[in-house]
Amino acid sequence: MGLIAFLTPVWLRDRRQYGLYATAMIIILGIQNVLRISPYVTLATDNYTPIPHFVDEKGHLDPCATLRGLEDIFVIVRTGSNEVQQKLPPLLNTTLPCFRHYGIWSDMEEEFEGQHIANSLDEIDPQLLEHHPEFEYYRHLQEHGRDAASSAESASWADAPNTDVGRDTPAWKLDKWKFLPIAKKAYAQHPTSKWYIFIECDTYVLWASLLAYLAKIDSSRPYYIGRQMNIAKDVFAYGGAGIIISNPAMEKLVKQHAARTEDYNKLTISQWAGDYVLSRVMLDAGIELSQVWPTLEGEAPAALDMKSRSTKGYPIWCYYVASYHHMTPDDIYAYYDFDQSWDISKRGFPRHGDLFRHMLYPEMRESKYGWDNLSSDVKGENATLEECREICWNQPGCLQFSLTAGTCKISSSAKLGRQQRPGERVDSGWINKRIKRYMTNTDALCKKQDWILPP
């Protein structure tokens, strides 16, 4: 501020110097703001207060500027070398760099786009790494790098469909081993974070919503929070929707795992889901899952049944949303644009219904060719698309229809769905008049539902 004080008398002596004074003031204050608040500048302090300081080409304010509580969070990105090049860039190009504390862990150490990606598995029992068949692909990776698999193989693994026991790929079979070592590494890297949040490259987090949500929860208590999923009768937090662990819970998790590492290695061998194994360690540490669906969602909006109801009996449409999963890179960029343009101060936090209304419904045309809207109720064979539309129209509750190789399917739920897969031939359509009425009627069912908070 010394230079500012010096310039002020110049204007007082000669008002013709006002233009020079004003220009200098703008430049100096701009530099001060950038040095003080930008998370991209190494001189930034640990106690800054974010404020907007630039606008991008789409008119969005700096995405980091409106986020409160960034310093309390450690973001844990779990990925694999087969998907880094395709799926990691959207995270790096949106809000991940806003966080001071985050780490990216994979099955191979590498540098990518200026980011260090750490090896999540290098501290596992050497006997397992060197000899167990589940680590054969890992051994090839360490020896040959990305050449361990062809680009076509890597792409097919990244897009492999989920089954009841996960994805049947070498890369996916390694994934279950990453959860517990990553927890240990993240906690060692920054043991004072209030919250540790596990995400994947195809997880989209509405960070303004999630940070506001976490501000309502006491981080000094041992919390293990997630979107509930079941294996038989066992409930665990689904990793793709985001797993949230408070500092005391993370400490207990790491200590519990360290005390019985060999037992948990055996458990991991016998199971297919690493997020399930993590839940077992949590239970052994005395921490049960806080089930918060639909605040955290394990599916993409385009595949959601908005008629689903929460455990409290209301449509998920009514609830604020903080995460989605199975998002394509294009999805992440599109939802990021929506997120940045949504004015929370005037409209409140976005609900699942808001995402449907603004992101999905505009794409639901009368007919969409080469598209599968995930209709499932078979109502006719050897039909045309127009005949299928007529079948849907004659069913009072039908909102959409599709035609696959002459088979007509309808649905009483409205879903956007996805582009047809290679080898498929699917055309789809929606009854827009009914969907508009459905949106209005569902809005009327909402009675101030907001978050699903842990007990």
Side-chain angles (χ1 to χ4, degrees):
M1 294 297 290
L3 184 56
I4 298 173
F6 170 77
L7 286 172
T8 302
V10 173
W11 174 68
L12 293 174
R13 292 194 307 267
D14 188 348
R15 295 193 180 191
R16 289 174 300 179
Q17 299 297 320
Y18 174 74
L20 174 62
Y21 166 73
T23 301
M25 283 282 289
I26 291 170
I27 293 172
I28 293 167
L29 291 175
I31 292 172
Q32 285 180 328
N33 272 340
V34 169
L35 290 176
R36 178 167 55 89
I37 70 179
S38 175
Y40 305 103
V41 177
T42 56
L43 294 180
T45 62
D46 286 334
N47 58 353
Y48 77 105
T49 301
I51 59 173
H53 63 275
F54 74 80
V55 177
D56 68 13
E57 67 278 4
K58 292 188 177 181
H60 301 153
L61 292 173
D62 171 10
C64 310
T66 56
L67 300 179
R68 300 292 186 265
L70 292 170
E71 65 281 358
D72 297 332
I73 309 298
F74 191 109
V75 181
I76 299 168
V77 181
R78 193 186 84 261
T79 186
S81 56
N82 65 301
E83 66 177 21
V84 161
Q85 293 179 316
Q86 177 188 3
K87 294 186 176 182
L88 185 58
L91 295 189
L92 299 179
N93 293 333
T94 53
T95 49
L96 183 62
C98 295
F99 291 87
R100 280 196 166 80
H101 311 300
Y102 69 91
I104 306 170
W105 280 277
S106 179
D107 41 31
M108 181 182 77
E109 185 174 14
E110 61 178 315
E111 299 295 321
F112 178 76
E113 299 292 336
Q115 295 285 331
H116 179 71
I117 300 176
N119 187 335
S120 60
L121 305 172
D122 56 352
E123 295 179 0
I124 287 177
D125 182 350
Q127 289 297 312
L128 289 174
L129 293 180
E130 294 171 14
H131 303 293
H132 197 279
E134 289 189 348
F135 289 94
E136 181 178 359
Y137 175 60
Y138 175 80
R139 293 190 288 271
H140 283 296
L141 274 177
Q142 308 320 302
E143 184 175 353
H144 303 291
R146 293 191 185 281
D147 294 335
S150 68
S151 58
E153 284 177 317
S154 294
S156 68
W157 296 345
D159 295 327
N162 278 321
T163 68
D164 290 339
V165 290
R167 295 176 177 174
D168 187 17
T169 69
W172 194 89
K173 290 175 182 177
L174 273 182
D175 190 68
K176 67 178 181 178
W177 289 94
K178 297 172 186 172
F179 285 84
L180 295 173
I182 287 175
K184 174 186 174 183
K185 291 170 181 284
Y187 187 69
Q189 183 173 326
H190 201 264
T192 59
S193 292
K194 291 183 179 180
W195 298 103
Y196 299 85
I197 302 177
F198 290 71
I199 64 171
E200 301 176 11
C201 285
D202 60 348
T203 306
Y204 183 72
V205 179
L206 292 84
W207 282 110
S209 297
L210 184 58
L211 291 170
Y213 173 74
L214 291 177
K216 296 178 175 291
I217 305 170
D218 183 358
S219 63
S220 68
R221 295 177 58 190
Y223 277 115
Y224 162 49
I225 300 170
R227 190 260 191 262
Q228 58 268 32
M229 186 175 179
N230 290 77
I231 292 181
K233 294 182 179 180
D234 294 330
V235 182
F236 62 99
Y238 176 50
I243 299 174
I244 303 170
I245 300 177
S246 67
N247 185 286
M250 193 68 151
E251 181 181 11
K252 289 176 180 288
L253 172 71
V254 171
K255 288 182 177 178
Q256 179 66 32
H257 178 234
R260 294 177 51 194
T261 301
E262 186 175 350
D263 291 339
Y264 296 124
N265 285 343
K266 292 177 181 177
L267 177 63
T268 305
I269 291 171
S270 70
Q271 297 295 328
W272 59 267
D275 36 13
Y276 169 74
V277 176
L278 185 148
S279 75
R280 290 284 298 272
V281 183
M282 279 293 195
L283 279 175
D284 291 344
I287 304 170
E288 295 186 358
L289 172 65
S290 294
Q291 304 177 25
V292 300
W293 178 79
T295 296
L296 302 179
E297 174 53 60
E299 193 48 86
L304 277 183
D305 181 358
M306 287 291 173
K307 290 187 175 180
S308 299
R309 291 178 176 262
S310 75
T311 54
K312 297 182 182 296
Y314 292 97
I316 66 171
W317 176 283
C318 301
Y319 290 90
Y320 296 148
V321 57
S323 74
Y324 289 114
H325 187 220
H326 296 140
M327 303 288 276
T328 67
D330 286 344
D331 287 338
I332 289 178
Y333 287 124
Y335 280 75
Y336 168 78
D337 286 342
F338 168 84
D339 204 4
Q340 294 301 301
S341 63
W342 185 265
D343 190 340
I344 291 174
S345 65
K346 294 180 180 178
R347 310 176 79 172
F349 296 105
R351 302 174 188 269
H352 286 282
D354 294 317
L355 274 296
F356 182 95
R357 187 184 299 277
H358 294 281
M359 297 298 291
L360 304 180
Y361 177 68
E363 299 297 321
M364 294 177 176
R365 306 163 194 161
E366 288 192 4
S367 300
K368 197 164 187 174
Y369 300 99
W371 193 267
D372 185 357
N373 64 13
L374 308 178
S375 297
S376 58
D377 187 5
V378 176
K379 286 295 183 180
E381 301 289 347
N382 301 315
T384 66
L385 189 63
E386 285 306 312
E387 288 170 340
C388 192
R389 183 193 310 276
E390 190 70 19
I391 291 172
C392 181
W393 181 257
N394 289 331
Q395 300 282 331
C398 181
L399 299 182
Q400 65 177 42
F401 55 92
S402 70
L403 190 72
T404 305
T407 298
C408 175
K409 301 176 183 178
I410 67 173
S411 177
S412 60
S413 295
K415 298 180 182 179
L416 179 59
R418 56 169 174 78
Q419 189 171 16
Q420 66 183 11
R421 294 193 172 111
E424 292 181 332
R425 179 56 192 175
V426 188
D427 300 321
S428 297
W430 294 263
I431 309 298
N432 297 95
K433 181 178 180 180
R434 291 178 179 174
I435 295 175
K436 286 182 180 178
R437 186 165 62 246
Y438 157 73
M439 292 191 292
T440 300
N441 292 343
T442 308
D443 278 337
L445 295 176
C446 299
K447 306 296 182 184
K448 295 184 179 180
Q449 290 71 47
D450 42 34
W451 307 112
I452 301 291
L453 290 165

